[in-house]
Amino acid sequence: MSRVVPILKDPVVVAALIAVLLIAIGGILRPGFASPDQIVDMLRVASFLGIIAIGQTIVVLSGGEGIDLSVGTVATLGAILASRTMAGDDAMIVPGVLLALGVAALIGLANGLGIVALKIPPFVMTLGMLGVVGGLILVVTGGRADGRAAPALVSLVNGRDVLGLPGILIVWLVLGGAVTLVLRRTVFGARLYAIGTSREAARLSGVPVRRVTVSAYVLSSLFAALGGIAMVGYSQQVFLNLADDLTLPSIAAVVIGGTLVAGGVGGYLGSAVGAIVLTVLTSLLTTLAMPEWARIVVQGVVLIALLAVYGRQRRLRA
Amino acid sequence: MTAATQAPPAPTVVDRVRSVRVASWATAALLVVAVVAAIALQPNLLTPYGVASTFATFLPLVLVAVAQAIVVIGGGLDLSAGAIVALSSVVAVQVMRGEDGLAAVGLAAAVGTGVACGMLNGLVVSRLRLQPLIATFASASIFSGLALLVLPTPGGTVPAILTGTFRQAIATVPMSVLLVVAVALGWLVLRRTRVLRHIRATGGDPAAAYASLVPVQTSQFASYVLSGAISGLAGLAVLGNAGSGDPFIGGDLALGSVAAVVVGGIALRGGIGSPIGAIAGAIILALSSTILFSIGLPTSWRALAAGVVVILALALSALGAPRRRR
Amino acid sequence: MTVTSPLVRLSGVHKRYGGVQALRDASLTAAGGEVHGLLGPNGSGKSTLGKVLAGSVRPDAAEIVLAGESVRIGSPRAAARLGVAAVYQQLSLVPDLSVGQNLVLGSEPGRLGFLSDRAAARRVAPVLERLTPALGDVRFDDAVRDLAPGQQQLVEIGKALLREPRVLILDEATASLHRDQVALVFDIVRELREGGAAILFVSHRLDEITELCDRATILRSGVTVAETSVPDTTPDEIVRLMVGDVQQVEREHRDAAGGPVRLRVRGLAGGALHGVDLDARGGEIVGLGGLQGQGQSELLLALFGAIAAAGDVEVDGEPVRLASPRSAARRGIALVPGDRGTQGTLPARPIQENLAIASIAGRARVGVLSTRREREAAQSMVDALAIKIGSLADPISSLSGGNAQKVVFGKWLLTEPSVVLLDDPTKGVDVGAKAEIYRIVRGLAEQGATVVINSSEDRELVTVCDRVLVLFEGAVRATLVGDEITEERLVQAALRIGEGTQGAATGEDAA
Amino acid sequence: STVSNEPAASGDGDGAGPFTIGISNGFVGSEYRTQMISDIEDAASSYQDEGLLEDLVLENADTDVNGQIQQVRNLINAGVDAIIADPNSGSALDQVFQEATDQGILVFAIDQAVTADSVINVGIDQAEWAATSAEWLAEQVGEGGQIVAVNGISGHPANEARYGAAQEVFDEAGVEVLTTADGGWDQATGQQQMGNLLATYPEIDGVWTQDGMALGVLQAVVAAGREDEIVVTGEARNGFLQLWNEQSDDFESIGVTNPPGTGATALHLAMAMLQGAEIDESQLVDGNTLVLALEEPVTNENLDAVWAETEGEGESYVLDSILSADDVQQFLVQD
Ligand SMILES: Nc1ncnc2c1ncn2[C@@H]1O[C@H](COP(=O)(O)OP(=O)(O)OP(=O)(O)O)[C@@H](O)[C@H]1O
Ligand SMILES: Nc1ncnc2c1ncn2[C@@H]1O[C@H](COP(=O)(O)OP(=O)(O)OP(=O)(O)O)[C@@H](O)[C@H]1O
Ligand SMILES: [Mg+2]
Ligand SMILES: [Mg+2]
């Protein structure tokens, strides 16, 4: 018994329980909701958010009020560049993905340099970058995205080819596992947590604070682009604001997953579960017949309730 | 007097990661440049209509920037400001029903709605102790949903007295200009209050403030309530510009106000800065879009240019930050 | 002194922080008109007990009786209403507000919610004036962030005085103060005692305890182990009560080590430094003396590349770029910084990570860590330095000051440094841990490292240094060697340079 | 101040030109809007060649209602003679439009009708547009058929007008709407929502959806392998037509054109009116709205022909129709 209680305080466990609870509620109210097919479908949709949340997790962990508000548009840009390059041709997948990642890396680099060199707070730096990338999309496309995912990418996302599961879930699992290992078992990971906890103490311990910070923002843009590419595999055709709306949910996923907004504490597993919780919640609200205003309100209330369970900050009176 | 008392600060504070602080001169310089450039490119801005309409356009963002500034100085953040504007404006439209006689009731309703929203934010942040960024993101959802409930589809008439306000002039000074000035003056009064001092102390260092007998939770709560009230006023300003209600109004105001606050020299970490700077920041950002329009950039490049301008303004503000004393 | 009717009585105080039982059934009784020492090793719960009384910690259980009345103290405001004021170990000033605004914070005068600056200035004037001899020319409108730490500490004390407390808690309030400043604080405390207040005084400096305190309560591991009358107890006795039987550290220094110069500094300038020259050999422990704030800390930070400075620095004949702590660390330089909380440790991270972080790249293969090697390295330091920990996975914030400081040492020992810079390494460290830290420092020197140490305590320099450089206004103005290093000579050297009689101290003149 | 109080010096009516026309568009994140703007630019270029149009001033950026108010005020200050706006709100721009018309500027609202009576709305009848596909769907599923609707944004006037009309059709035809979901006029969101609805409403016979989301909805239906049992209303866009074309011949759908070219049509009207023509009041609905006739919808009958014609335009092309300068004469009184 004494072992169960601390586990129940673990944000990841709580978030996972809430996801299960939501699915159960959905299943009772509308039987199809808890069907294996629907669950796989929701996981598929959660994977885009989940992949974008990898980068967001890294940035939040890096501390210094770290946050990346540009991930949504970077994901869209990545999707546009990749799908325009592949134009429905499997042979062009690799060049398309590389182009998207290359451009995303430059954007992340600009974010990182603006933050460490120009000392612009991350919130507003990446907010400005959100505008820049939105503008870049218009310049690149002239206002018409016109891109098509290659069939292999489509079947990776929309098919059920790997043990009856969509390949994208395996990709997500691999990426998530890899990033968890990077965070826990590499020099970069240790340094990331160090700068997230205390920039000054990390610097005085010989940690290259600026380099790690910039790397965090580069990684964030890279994972955003990957998330966008996965999403265009889902929608098959690209359009101008494909993934724009995933920014704030990606932050919410990170926070629901128990990563400290101040940095230095947390991990990716929680964010992945957070992405699932958010996706299941949206799906559940869709399938319950209620007026749209009520759905929007319930979404907000549930989010607050969720965070109130464990996402509370320290008391002043310890 | 001993030599030790004149000692310079010890290195424990030296070289701490510098917080970004915008020197007021950087904000002032940006403001001057923006105003001069806008007028040079668009001389019609100086016509009575130009002045009145420009200030009327600024007013909602100016008000929300002040609202945001108070929360940010208190160490918080309010992503729901835009949703509060929307909700309070539709509530006001519904109670005024286009009748001049009900304008005062509308004012009370808008401010009251803003206060109620601010109370919810304040409770969630100060009592539930949720992270402000994500908490107000969630509460924005609640307010937006309620706005849709109150006014399911755009419409309703705003009393002429309200829409007419912006067109009036007092001694040839347009009303909209006077309102912006009044907002600034309002702050000068507000800043002399105990609650604002406590809000600033709370934003500067909550633990220290708590130990210094500052009612920290109450101050946080108050910052959101005050901010909500001002956002409620912004709801009315929006109505004055729009002439009717729309539950989707104000979508860009929350993020725009945060940018304005930073350009205006207020550190996002709290404790520093003045809403006067935020007013300047709001005007700089609003004018920059007028400037970009006036220089006739190809439209597909304009969004890119606008983003770059915002980053440059932020960078300039950051570069103007005073170096920490050694 | 007999306690007839105690003003403060705390009993049955329990407090647990996560896995740490900070207080278990602690108690304390102090009378009005008494300065009551609160003693104990690092982490024994002194600050926690003080905070329970001051309302800023939520005890798991506690009984508090003030002037015969049982009270609940639910917040600092509640404490203030009961006449309890505290000066915390960690300053509670708001850096963005002015001195005056900080002094009246939480009880600003004014009407109808509006502030009155004039009334505030009037209220703080007497306190500012009382502190002037130690505080210097500090005005109402000066920004607190621009003050020196000692001045900030005095403002903090002023804030408590303004409340005219019945009970005043001073938690290591003298730790960052200079001798003269301490004397003024003592005068003030004595005045308060005359006025019938009870003062709870926490300090690790035994001389301060014996000079000021009437009675003392001694804590060990969160339990009250003794209450004694200070004048009737010898210092040795007090130390024994605090830490059990620990050998007092004996002064020990050797003749200047032979061999080539290991650390060579020429014309180091920038910020507070105005041309520092320095030569130190392997195995030598060099102290930095002088009045506080003459550039000692800056010198160490500059050598470590942590603040901007220019000049020639060589380690073993190879030039060192003063670009960043990273490049300094690569040349075998290590720094144990002055502010453990913000500069030395990564509070939320596990002890293992704190130990590993500086040497982590060396143990990794292509950036990938071996869990086993990390753990072994960390454990080796825990063993070598006898760090008292629960588990390597516990956050470092669960350690007391002395043990956390040992972790900071261990972090750098793992890099096998050839030059070790120590900035006030025993600040806020109890007697027992202090002795162990001195042992570590000597061990480093014996293994051939060059140690440069700055200390706010002259006795520390006397105890460990082979040679002491006396700094004034950012330059070395005198050097004491071997038997010349005594507390008297140190004070003399510091003051006489200050008076302008440069080079009056004996020894080779480095300027 | 020395500058003229009347930026729009020419006013409306028999000015000799050349004229300046301002465009205000508050949303650029869609291919529909891009095509709308390029249609306008194409139409304007011939007037510019003739020397009748001096300048086409574009205010084209993603913004909210406040931002669009600023856009319109910028145009007023730039001294334009007419403004063509695709408004972000059906009513919240009334005030600023009033400011423009007060200064003698002609204002046209396209795509989204506004309530200000001084503004001329130009566009298709959204209700009629929606009813066309709703009637087709009702016929397909028959009385007692069960459907779901994937809507745009609740509360948005176009959405309300459309769904309101569709609902009426379904009520009359005895078709049951099991539930509705908002897809935000966003293809991927529409796809996600449809996926959820498919799982939880297994019994549905059809889906009614609109603009921009039909492709996503159809993809979800195809992914579930149920395109043969569930009838999906479509849209007149190349992306959808292509997927439609790839399906078996049994698959049926409908695409009703919502032409982005309305903006260009409005430009022709504006030029004519600036040159002195007057609008024929008798053709105005509700006092200020010119309703453009719907094009023949795309159905299985004409799909091949339409596709052959539009295939080369790219995937984001929206089937279009623009009234020419001569065509718009029908709405004007000649003097
Ligand atoms: N906020 C906290 N969270 C977790 N543990 C804490 C906290 N504050 C104190 N502790 C732990 O409680 C114990 C008692 O700490 P306290 O600060 O009261 O000791 P102290 O006697 O004042 O020590 P020092 O002489 O170093 O100041 C220590 O083990 C400390 O690590
Ligand atoms: N002075 C005191 N004497 C005895 N017990 C105390 C005292 N102060 C606090 N406690 C005990 O500490 C626990 C929590 O303290 P407290 O009453 O301050 O919590 P609270 O007021 O409910 O929390 P909050 O301040 O967040 O509203 C209670 O169990 C209370 O009994
Ligand atoms: Mg202590
Ligand atoms: Mg201590």
Side-chain angles (χ1 to χ4, degrees):
Chain A
M1 204 50 210
S2 58
R3 273 171 172 242
V4 177
V5 175
I7 285 179
L8 283 180
K9 283 188 179 157
D10 185 339
V12 182
V13 176
V14 175
L17 287 178
I18 287 167
V20 172
L21 188 74
L22 287 174
I23 292 176
I25 293 174
I28 291 166
L29 294 175
R30 300 225 60 93
F33 194 79
S35 69
D37 280 357
Q38 167 67 359
I39 290 173
V40 167
D41 234 30
M42 288 192 289
L43 287 177
R44 184 204 324 267
V45 170
S47 72
F48 321 136
L49 181 58
I51 292 170
I52 294 173
I54 294 177
Q56 193 70 263
T57 306
I58 292 173
V59 161
V60 172
L61 282 176
S62 80
E65 295 160 355
I67 194 165
D68 190 346
L69 294 183
S70 65
V71 288
T73 42
V74 171
T76 303
L77 179 63
I80 288 173
L81 292 175
S83 61
R84 280 165 77 98
T85 308
M86 37 184 115
D89 179 1
D90 279 348
M92 294 302 284
I93 288 186
V94 173
V97 171
L98 288 181
L99 174 68
L101 291 182
V103 172
L106 289 178
I107 293 168
L109 189 67
N111 273 334
L113 290 178
I115 289 159
V116 305
L118 301 180
K119 307 211 188 311
I120 305 175
F123 189 96
V124 282
M125 177 67 215
T126 55
L127 177 62
M129 190 55 79
L130 168 95
V132 169
V133 176
L136 211 55
I137 288 173
L138 289 181
V139 171
V140 169
T141 62
R144 299 175 71 148
D146 281 335
R148 181 168 270 267
L153 178 60
V154 174
S155 72
L156 178 78
V157 179
N158 287 347
R160 308 265 299 248
D161 305 333
V162 188
L163 310 166
L165 293 175
I168 190 67
L169 289 188
I170 308 302
V171 171
W172 185 20
L173 202 66
V174 169
L175 288 176
V179 81
T180 301
L181 282 179
V182 165
L183 290 177
R184 291 195 188 157
R185 293 286 155 81
T186 64
V187 174
F188 173 77
R191 287 178 168 164
L192 185 74
Y193 281 109
I195 68 167
T197 308
S198 163
R199 288 258 188 299
E200 177 72 344
R203 192 175 74 101
L204 290 177
S205 301
V207 173
V209 174
R210 292 161 153 249
R211 215 164 68 202
V212 177
T213 307
V214 173
S215 308
Y217 285 89
V218 170
L219 285 171
S220 175
S221 287
L222 287 176
F223 282 108
L226 282 180
I229 293 170
M231 199 157 166
V232 81
Y234 175 71
S235 72
Q236 304 183 35
Q237 288 183 15
V238 80
F239 52 93
L240 286 175
N241 49 7
L242 176 75
D244 287 6
D245 290 342
L246 292 185
T247 300
L248 289 174
S250 77
I251 299 165
V254 171
V255 178
I256 289 174
T259 293
L260 208 63
V261 179
V265 176
Y268 178 64
L269 182 61
S271 310
V273 177
I276 294 171
V277 169
L278 287 175
T279 308
V280 171
L281 177 61
T282 314
S283 297
L284 180 61
L285 291 176
T286 300
T287 61
L288 300 181
M290 56 168 86
E292 188 62 22
W293 71 263
R295 285 185 187 136
I296 302 175
V297 170
V298 168
Q299 183 125 27
V301 170
V302 170
L303 196 51
I304 288 177
L306 257 176
L307 293 172
V309 177
Y310 59 80
R312 304 175 66 174
Q313 299 179 296
R314 231 163 25 86
R315 266 176 207 278
L316 283 161
R317 187 159 174 259
Chain B
M1 189 181 309
T2 67
T5 58
Q6 291 158 346
T12 48
V13 287
V14 176
D15 258 33
R16 209 180 269 170
V17 182
R18 283 199 196 93
S19 58
V20 177
R21 259 176 98 176
V22 188
S24 46
W25 68 258
T27 306
L30 278 170
L31 183 61
V32 170
V33 169
V35 169
V36 169
I39 292 171
L41 289 162
Q42 191 62 275
N44 280 338
L45 284 180
L46 288 179
T47 61
Y49 172 77
V51 173
S53 70
T54 303
F55 274 83
T57 308
F58 290 162
L59 194 58
L61 183 60
V62 161
L63 282 165
V64 179
V66 170
Q68 188 71 262
I70 290 172
V71 172
V72 168
I73 288 172
L77 192 72
D78 188 357
L79 291 191
S80 71
I84 296 178
V85 169
L87 180 56
S88 44
S89 72
V90 297
V91 168
V93 162
Q94 292 292 46
V95 302
M96 292 189 292
R97 302 196 302 263
E99 293 170 30
D100 277 356
L102 290 174
V105 183
L107 176 77
V111 175
T113 306
V115 166
C117 294
M119 284 169 71
L120 179 74
N121 281 335
L123 282 177
V124 167
V125 170
S126 76
R127 299 289 151 170
L128 283 185
R129 300 194 308 276
L130 299 192
Q131 217 285 325
L133 172 91
I134 206 77
T136 55
F137 164 59
S139 68
S141 185
I142 297 178
F143 304 149
S144 303
L146 292 177
L148 205 49
L149 170 67
V150 172
L151 189 68
T153 178
T157 331
V158 175
I161 192 171
L162 212 62
T163 52
T165 302
F166 288 155
R167 300 188 196 170
Q168 286 163 7
I170 295 179
T172 75
V173 185
M175 196 66 174
S176 56
V177 177
L178 292 177
L179 287 172
V180 171
V181 173
V183 174
L185 291 179
W187 162 250
L188 293 182
V189 174
L190 214 51
R191 66 186 290 239
R192 302 200 46 78
T193 59
R194 183 175 291 125
V195 65
L196 246 299
R197 170 75 55 78
H198 286 176
I199 287 172
R200 192 180 285 280
T202 298
D205 185 339
Y210 181 69
S212 305
L213 314 190
V214 171
V216 168
Q217 292 191 327
T218 309
S219 300
Q220 282 177 334
F221 181 75
S223 74
Y224 283 95
V225 173
L226 212 54
S227 163
I230 298 172
S231 293
L233 279 179
L236 276 191
V238 161
L239 289 182
N241 273 326
S244 89
D246 186 328
F248 300 109
I249 220 158
D252 292 348
L253 284 173
L255 290 178
S257 65
V258 177
V261 154
V262 174
V263 170
I266 298 171
L268 286 181
R269 65 171 178 77
I272 298 178
S274 147
I276 303 284
I279 295 173
I283 293 177
I284 291 165
L285 291 179
L287 277 180
S288 74
S289 89
T290 299
I291 292 169
L292 285 173
F293 162 73
S294 303
I295 58 177
L297 222 55
T299 51
S300 55
W301 286 86
R302 211 174 288 156
L304 181 61
V308 171
V309 164
V310 170
I311 290 184
L312 287 181
L314 295 169
L316 206 72
S317 308
L319 287 179
R323 296 290 158 213
R324 196 177 278 279
R325 241 184 69 174
R326 293 229 154 144
Chain C
M1 183 171 291
T2 52
V3 182
T4 44
S5 93
L7 182 55
V8 187
R9 201 162 54 98
L10 283 160
S11 56
V13 186
H14 291 261
K15 174 65 187 177
R16 168 183 282 279
Y17 291 110
V20 182
Q21 187 76 44
L23 292 174
R24 76 188 94 212
D25 201 17
S27 58
L28 178 152
T29 305
E34 169 184 308
V35 180
H36 193 97
L38 184 52
L39 313 182
N42 290 127
S44 53
K46 304 180 295 294
S47 298
T48 307
L49 191 60
K51 284 180 183 168
V52 166
L53 182 57
S56 60
V57 151
R58 171 190 312 272
D60 302 326
E63 194 185 329
I64 306 176
V65 179
L66 266 183
E69 238 177 280
S70 179
V71 292
R72 275 192 83 254
I73 301 182
S75 70
R77 289 172 77 83
R81 274 194 296 274
L82 294 166
V84 178
V87 173
Y88 298 101
Q89 194 170 356
Q90 184 115 40
L91 293 187
S92 58
L93 298 174
V94 179
D96 305 317
L97 296 183
S98 74
V99 169
Q101 290 171 343
N102 265 290
L103 282 169
V104 296
L105 193 57
S107 57
E108 296 86 350
R111 265 204 302 168
L112 303 169
F114 284 88
L115 301 168
S116 161
D117 277 347
R118 221 167 331 130
R122 233 179 298 125
R123 185 190 298 175
V124 305
V127 167
L128 271 183
E129 196 177 321
R130 182 74 183 88
L131 291 171
T132 297
L135 192 53
D137 188 20
V138 169
R139 288 166 199 284
F140 186 89
D141 289 326
D142 290 350
V144 154
R145 66 164 69 255
D146 294 337
L147 299 185
Q151 292 173 313
Q152 294 186 349
Q153 179 74 65
L154 288 165
V155 171
E156 181 82 46
I157 293 172
K159 211 164 76 180
L161 294 179
L162 263 176
R163 311 240 154 87
E164 296 174 352
R166 267 200 301 176
V167 179
L168 174 65
I169 303 158
L170 293 174
D171 191 353
E172 298 193 35
T174 53
S176 59
L177 295 188
H178 184 262
R179 211 174 276 272
D180 302 350
Q181 296 171 323
V182 172
L184 179 79
V185 172
F186 280 16
D187 285 347
I188 293 174
V189 167
R190 293 193 182 101
E191 280 166 28
L192 281 172
R193 174 169 61 186
E194 296 310 310
I199 295 97
L200 287 187
F201 186 79
V202 183
S203 171
H204 287 292
R205 295 184 182 166
L206 269 187
D207 49 354
E208 292 183 356
I209 302 285
T210 47
E211 187 184 337
L212 189 64
C213 296
D214 306 309
R215 302 178 57 77
T217 291
I218 295 160
L219 287 176
R220 215 191 290 168
S221 306
V223 190
T224 300
V225 291
E227 205 207 53
T228 135
S229 156
V230 175
D232 303 334
T233 319
T234 64
D236 285 349
E237 185 74 10
I238 291 178
V239 170
R240 208 184 42 72
L241 284 170
M242 275 169 62
V243 291
D245 293 305
V246 172
Q247 289 265 293
Q248 260 289 50
V249 194
E250 288 306 315
R251 167 173 162 71
E252 178 188 312
H253 75 263
R254 295 142 300 140
D255 295 330
V261 170
R262 166 152 268 173
L263 173 68
R264 190 182 132 93
V265 180
R266 286 294 175 272
L268 190 65
L273 302 176
H274 303 289
V276 173
D277 296 343
L278 185 162
D279 288 297
R281 297 170 201 282
E284 196 179 15
I285 302 175
V286 179
L288 302 179
L291 297 173
Q292 258 203 340
Q294 299 303 309
Q296 293 96 334
S297 293
E298 283 86 350
L299 172 57
L300 297 179
L301 286 167
L303 286 175
F304 196 55
I307 57 173
D312 297 323
V313 177
E314 288 175 8
V315 172
D316 293 330
E318 301 258 343
V320 181
R321 272 182 63 229
L322 301 173
S324 68
R326 202 169 148 64
S327 56
R330 276 211 215 94
R331 304 281 316 127
I333 304 179
L335 169 76
V336 174
D339 185 343
R340 191 163 52 241
T342 65
Q343 299 180 314
T345 59
L346 305 166
R349 304 305 302 167
I351 295 163
Q352 174 171 323
E353 260 179 60
N354 270 281
L355 279 164
I357 188 73
S359 53
I360 198 162
R363 278 185 304 276
R365 290 208 187 93
V366 287
V368 179
L369 303 174
S370 147
T371 323
R372 185 180 50 81
R373 262 179 300 170
E374 291 298 300
R375 200 177 39 238
E376 281 172 5
Q379 189 61 47
S380 72
M381 280 302 135
V382 170
D383 296 341
L385 306 183
I387 309 176
K388 289 191 207 76
I389 62 166
S391 144
L392 279 173
D394 291 345
I396 192 166
S397 51
S398 68
L399 297 184
S400 71
N403 282 309
Q405 186 71 326
K406 287 192 203 169
V407 170
V408 180
F409 267 88
K411 167 172 78 178
W412 286 111
L413 293 191
L414 281 172
T415 68
E416 297 174 2
S418 50
V419 175
V420 180
L421 313 172
L422 306 175
D423 194 0
D424 226 349
T426 62
K427 179 170 160 190
V429 164
D430 67 58
V431 182
K434 224 177 216 175
E436 292 183 49
I437 286 176
Y438 294 157
R439 189 175 53 77
I440 296 168
V441 172
R442 291 220 178 89
L444 272 168
E446 271 155 28
Q447 284 158 34
T450 295
V451 180
V452 183
I453 177 169
N454 170 43
S455 176
S456 59
E457 275 184 77
D458 288 343
R459 185 176 305 162
E460 183 156 299
L461 297 177
V462 174
T463 308
V464 295
C465 293
D466 302 326
R467 190 152 60 96
V468 174
L469 309 179
V470 182
L471 268 67
F472 183 73
E473 290 186 344
V476 179
R477 293 299 168 84
T479 305
L480 303 179
V481 183
D483 289 334
E484 294 170 5
I485 310 174
T486 63
E487 285 186 68
E488 293 73 32
R489 292 290 283 274
L490 280 168
V491 172
Q492 231 175 20
L495 289 177
R496 293 179 68 182
I497 293 169
E499 286 160 5
T501 35
Q502 289 190 15
T506 44
E508 47 187 308
D509 217 331
Chain D
S1 70
T2 54
V3 186
S4 156
N5 187 7
E6 282 283 312
S10 54
D12 68 329
D14 34 49
F19 305 102
T20 302
I21 291 183
I23 309 296
S24 167
N25 175 36
F27 178 56
V28 293
S30 93
E31 284 72 10
Y32 179 95
R33 300 290 181 108
T34 305
Q35 193 171 325
M36 177 183 88
I37 296 291
S38 73
D39 283 350
I40 291 174
E41 285 175 321
D42 287 349
S45 67
S46 61
Y47 291 106
Q48 280 170 320
D49 293 345
E50 287 171 48
L52 282 169
L53 183 64
E54 182 175 304
D55 208 359
L56 186 70
V57 190
L58 289 173
E59 270 284 33
N60 188 33
D62 266 334
T63 187
D64 60 0
V65 170
N66 300 303
Q68 197 167 19
I69 289 172
Q70 186 177 7
Q71 284 190 346
V72 175
R73 285 184 173 147
N74 281 341
L75 293 173
I76 296 172
N77 284 322
V80 299
D81 302 296
I83 292 172
I84 299 170
D86 188 334
N88 278 0
S89 166
S91 59
L93 291 151
D94 287 3
Q95 173 68 21
V96 73
F97 286 152
Q98 191 66 48
E99 289 171 19
T101 51
D102 283 352
Q103 300 190 29
I105 300 171
L106 282 174
V107 180
F108 298 86
I110 52 174
D111 193 29
Q112 163 70 60
V114 299
T115 43
D117 3 314
S118 57
V119 175
I120 299 166
N121 293 312
V122 182
I124 58 168
D125 180 348
Q126 301 289 352
E128 183 192 356
W129 179 86
T132 307
S133 58
E135 275 159 14
W136 176 86
L137 179 64
E139 207 168 289
Q140 298 288 317
V141 298
E143 191 169 348
Q146 295 183 318
I147 65 161
V148 292
V150 177
N151 284 334
I153 296 173
S154 290
H156 198 289
N159 187 70
E160 300 305 312
R162 289 172 179 181
Y163 184 61
Q167 225 172 353
E168 228 167 85
V169 171
F170 296 138
D171 284 351
E172 248 165 59
V175 172
E176 185 187 354
V177 182
L178 295 174
T179 191
T180 65
D182 270 15
W185 284 306
D186 177 291
Q187 181 192 325
T189 311
Q191 190 174 347
Q192 289 169 23
Q193 301 290 50
M194 193 61 216
N196 292 323
L197 295 176
L198 283 170
T200 47
Y201 294 85
E203 65 276 29
I204 54 176
D205 307 310
V207 191
W208 185 80
T209 184
Q210 20 157 335
D211 252 12
M213 294 175 296
L215 180 55
V217 167
L218 178 55
Q219 273 167 354
V221 172
V222 171
R226 298 180 62 189
E227 66 272 26
D228 294 333
E229 328 157 15
I230 297 178
V231 187
V232 180
T233 60
E235 57 191 339
R237 296 177 187 233
N238 266 9
F240 187 86
L241 298 188
Q242 184 175 350
L243 190 61
W244 185 351
N245 230 1
E246 287 166 3
Q247 306 302 314
S248 74
D249 285 346
D250 295 341
F251 176 84
E252 288 204 40
S253 190
I254 184 170
V256 190
T257 307
N258 177 17
T262 316
T265 302
L267 183 90
H268 290 305
L269 269 175
M271 286 307 295
M273 288 175 70
L274 286 172
Q275 291 173 78
E278 300 261 333
I279 200 129
D280 180 358
E281 305 271 346
S282 68
Q283 301 214 34
L284 292 176
V285 180
D286 296 338
N288 68 337
T289 302
L290 271 185
V291 177
L292 303 179
L294 289 178
E295 294 284 304
E296 184 67 19
V298 186
T299 57
N300 280 38
E301 257 115 79
N302 59 0
L303 175 63
D304 291 340
V306 172
W307 179 237
E309 210 173 294
T310 63
E311 193 178 355
E313 300 275 1
E315 278 165 2
S316 58
Y317 179 75
V318 182
L319 270 58
D320 211 345
S321 102
I322 304 172
L323 297 189
S324 68
D326 292 337
D327 291 341
V328 300
Q329 295 300 325
Q330 57 176 304
F331 301 119
L332 302 169
V333 265
Q334 312 300 332
D335 35 23

